[in-house]
Amino acid sequence: LSKSLARFLGYSLETQSVSFLHKFCRRLRSGDWLDQSMILMCVWTVGGLEVSTGKVSSVEAMNGSTVLLPCTYSSCIGIENLYFNWQYNDNGTLKKLCEASIRMEGVEPKVHVTHERVEFVGSSKTNNISILLWNITFEDEGEYICFAKNPKEKNRNHSAVFTLIVVDQMKEVDNTLTIIIVSALGGVIGLVIIVMVIKAVVVHFLQKDDDKNKECLVSSSGNDNTENGLSGAKTDNKGTPKA
Ligand SMILES: *[C@@H]1O[C@H](CO)[C@@H](O)[C@H](O)[C@H]1NC(C)=O
Ligand SMILES: *[C@@H]1O[C@H](CO)[C@@H](O)[C@H](O)[C@H]1NC(C)=O
Ligand SMILES: *[C@@H]1O[C@H](CO)[C@@H](O)[C@H](O)[C@H]1NC(C)=O
Ligand SMILES: *[C@@H]1O[C@H](CO)[C@@H](O)[C@H](O)[C@H]1NC(C)=O
Ligand SMILES: *[C@@H]1O[C@H](CO)[C@@H](O)[C@H](O)[C@H]1NC(C)=O
């Protein structure tokens, strides 16, 4: 009990200190007594700017469909001329898809798009810098990098990676293939069972045959006995001439 209590206290202390820091940072932002070292302290303790593609870092989509490449940012010390871009990692070389800067919080950016199928759908109201990629093809598969830097943080770079996997619209084909494989496997198993049954039946009959053979052996040994008897009789017969 004391352990869980201590854990709870530690947790609440932690969350309180974090919320205190957030409040403190907000006050720092609003006041013009900004001190670079204080900002740095904020950046180090609460993390400064953060960009994220959300809980899921990849998506599987069909060729020809349109996908959302999600990205959001958050900042403890606030943003000013936040620069961001989206890049596609084309086998090692980064290709810029779009770029913009957000002058201050809540001001919508003028996005310069350099890809014919990219559309910016983010909003500064929700710290959202997501894009849509229209009519995807198999060449679009790969890593998409959401990059941001905040001049307020001495231009530290931040980025998050989102992976796009393009699958064929003919996924049913794959299904039929698995069905074929499964039924083939089932057929093989059925065949094995049939073979085993046949084997069991054959073995059963063979055993019966063996029993018959044994019977034959027994009868033949009986014959032997009778032969012995006969021989005995013979000896008897032999004996009679002797006598
Ligand atoms: C997706 O790819 C398949 C095979 O390459 C093709 O047959 C199909 O037309 C494509 N779908 C679209 C919407 O482009
Ligand atoms: C991608 O890179 C690999 C090795 O790094 C190379 O073998 C391949 O040819 C490249 N593909 C293209 C399309 O450039
Ligand atoms: C996507 O494809 C549809 C139908 O092929 C076309 O009408 C549309 O203009 C395309 N959109 C983009 C952004 O290329
Ligand atoms: C960002 O905006 C897009 C388009 O409006 C929306 O679909 C998406 O859910 C938003 N993402 C977040 C994390 O709010
Ligand atoms: C940040 O990214 C830029 C490219 O946009 C690069 O030139 C610079 O070296 C990077 N800085 C750090 C500290 O990684």
Side-chain angles (χ1 to χ4, degrees):
L1 190 75
S2 59
K3 246 187 204 169
S4 56
L5 193 69
R7 206 177 296 149
F8 171 73
L9 278 176
Y11 173 73
S12 63
L13 270 178
E14 214 172 87
T15 47
Q16 256 177 15
S17 61
V18 166
S19 68
F20 165 75
L21 271 170
H22 270 294
K23 268 185 211 148
F24 181 68
C25 293
R26 222 169 287 141
R27 199 170 304 159
L28 266 183
R29 252 193 274 161
S30 54
D32 49 8
W33 44 286
L34 287 176
D35 180 23
Q36 282 297 316
S37 63
M38 285 295 185
I39 286 185
L40 269 183
M41 195 194 82
C42 260
V43 170
W44 291 123
T45 53
V46 191
L49 184 73
E50 256 175 49
V51 293
S52 161
T53 56
K55 282 187 192 124
V56 186
S57 64
S58 75
V59 73
E60 217 173 86
M62 283 192 299
N63 64 335
S65 64
T66 296
V67 290
L68 176 78
L69 305 178
C71 188
T72 56
Y73 61 87
S74 62
S75 176
C76 156
I77 58 166
I79 58 162
E80 201 181 297
N81 294 321
L82 173 88
Y83 168 84
F84 74 85
N85 67 30
W86 270 97
Q87 285 160 296
Y88 172 58
N89 185 352
D90 189 9
N91 215 13
T93 55
L94 294 178
K95 282 186 180 165
K96 204 178 285 173
L97 306 176
C98 70
E99 64 181 335
S101 42
I102 301 171
R103 202 149 47 75
M104 53 191 275
E105 260 163 288
V107 175
E108 297 297 342
K110 273 210 186 81
V111 182
H112 178 59
V113 178
T114 47
H115 186 288
E116 66 271 20
R117 284 181 289 116
V118 163
E119 182 189 343
F120 180 78
V121 291
S123 165
S124 294
K125 286 187 193 72
T126 50
N127 293 359
N128 188 335
I129 47 175
S130 307
I131 57 171
L132 281 184
L133 184 60
W134 283 85
N135 302 348
I136 57 169
T137 65
F138 290 104
E139 284 85 62
D140 293 331
E141 191 164 274
E143 290 181 341
Y144 291 81
I145 299 143
C146 174
F147 172 93
K149 69 182 174 186
N150 192 5
K152 254 188 165 176
E153 284 176 54
K154 300 213 173 220
N155 280 332
R156 278 215 299 163
N157 289 345
H158 302 273
S159 64
V161 178
F162 193 78
T163 306
L164 175 65
I165 300 155
V166 183
V167 294
D168 204 303
Q169 215 165 19
M170 313 288 202
K171 233 191 168 176
E172 291 88 25
V173 173
D174 287 357
N175 280 349
T176 53
L177 196 72
T178 51
I179 285 167
I180 287 168
I181 289 169
V182 164
S183 49
L185 210 67
V188 166
I189 289 169
L191 207 70
V192 165
I193 288 171
I194 288 169
V195 164
M196 278 166 82
V197 165
I198 289 173
K199 200 183 156 193
V201 167
V202 166
V203 163
H204 181 73
F205 275 107
L206 277 181
Q207 259 174 358
K208 258 196 175 164
D209 272 10
D210 267 8
D211 286 353
K212 265 184 196 164
N213 282 343
K214 268 179 201 161
E215 273 167 27
C216 287
L217 277 172
V218 167
S219 58
S220 65
S221 66
N223 283 345
D224 276 1
N225 281 346
T226 47
E227 260 173 36
N228 283 348
L230 275 173
S231 61
K234 264 177 192 170
T235 47
D236 276 354
N237 285 346
K238 263 182 188 173
T240 33
K242 249 187 189 176

